[in-house]
Amino acid sequence: MSEVDGMQCDDCLHAPRPWSAGRSVFHYSGFGRRMVLGLKHGDRLDLVRPAAKWMAQHARPLRRDNMLVVPIPLHWSRLFGRRYNQSAELARGLSQQLGLQYGPDVLQRPQRTPMLEGKTRDDRLNILSGAITVNPKRALKIAQRPILLVDDVMTTGATLAEAANALASSRAGEVFVITLARAGKDT
């Protein structure tokens, strides 16, 4: 998921990412997939605490002074249906583990987008174009600050890219990403 300790993923070599570095805890299969799905669709908020601890272990090399932990937002209608934002729950726990400030409402999702499952990277990029923005009330809070962007799973990176681009256009400092799981190509 971009460069960390001199290593880059294959996708990042072909399509540079708009973040400086990133990490994922699990591959999105087996236990990692069950954990993400339990958290996202199974009301398994009991998974947040151990997941945040694991994410904190992986995120320590990304940590910077004055860093702000920011979750990928949900559109209000999806939040209403799900009752919570799993990325926000992970980000809250991660900020506590790392002793960093949490910015739950830095990003917003004013447009409802269709489910992205089964879509190609290009489809996802087109669907998400302009769908994630910086909350104008929080623009000064992020100016020149390093950001740790949090999501539950990275599939193609389109959602994280849209969020990172929104942060960059609002003059945030360096953006880093952490996810609980990362989908990969079958080998």
Side-chain angles (χ1 to χ4, degrees):
M1 214 201 262
S2 197
E3 188 170 351
V4 174
D5 302 328
M7 297 176 62
Q8 281 195 317
C9 72
D10 290 344
D11 286 343
C12 299
L13 292 171
H14 299 292
R17 305 300 186 173
W19 55 80
S20 295
R23 294 265 174 110
S24 291
V25 177
F26 298 112
H27 187 272
Y28 188 62
S29 64
F31 178 76
R33 185 172 191 276
R34 285 191 305 275
M35 191 160 195
V36 167
L37 292 177
L39 183 58
K40 185 180 278 195
H41 300 297
D43 292 331
R44 295 286 315 273
L45 289 171
D46 58 302
L47 298 173
V48 170
R49 188 175 181 148
K53 285 184 179 183
W54 294 324
M55 291 174 83
Q57 290 171 350
H58 284 75
R60 287 198 201 290
L62 307 176
R63 191 183 191 288
R64 302 292 187 270
D65 290 338
N66 198 32
M67 183 173 255
L68 183 64
V69 180
V70 175
I72 293 292
L74 288 177
H75 185 265
W76 70 265
S77 61
R78 191 154 288 141
L79 180 61
F80 181 78
R82 202 174 281 164
R83 297 186 321 272
Y84 62 91
N85 176 351
Q86 70 281 358
S87 297
E89 296 299 325
L90 291 169
R92 179 183 296 117
L94 180 60
S95 69
Q96 291 168 351
Q97 289 289 320
L98 295 175
L100 295 171
Q101 189 177 359
Y102 173 52
D105 61 348
V106 166
L107 292 173
Q108 55 190 10
R109 206 167 187 149
Q111 296 179 27
R112 182 177 169 95
T113 54
M115 297 296 280
L116 300 175
E117 190 173 342
K119 305 280 191 224
T120 67
R121 183 173 191 275
D122 288 341
D123 290 342
R124 288 170 183 245
L125 288 169
N126 288 332
I127 289 168
L128 289 166
S129 181
I132 298 174
T133 61
V134 171
N135 181 340
K137 295 176 182 175
R138 300 295 177 250
L140 288 176
K141 184 176 188 172
I142 67 167
Q144 305 306 311
R145 282 184 85 174
I147 304 292
L148 183 58
L149 190 56
V150 179
D151 204 0
D152 57 348
V153 64
M154 176 177 160
T155 306
T156 65
T159 302
L160 290 164
E162 184 65 21
N165 286 330
L167 290 162
S169 70
S170 291
R171 301 182 356 200
E174 216 172 354
V175 176
F176 299 87
V177 300
I178 181 84
T179 64
L180 182 56
R182 167 77 155 88
K185 297 180 183 91
D186 293 331
T187 55

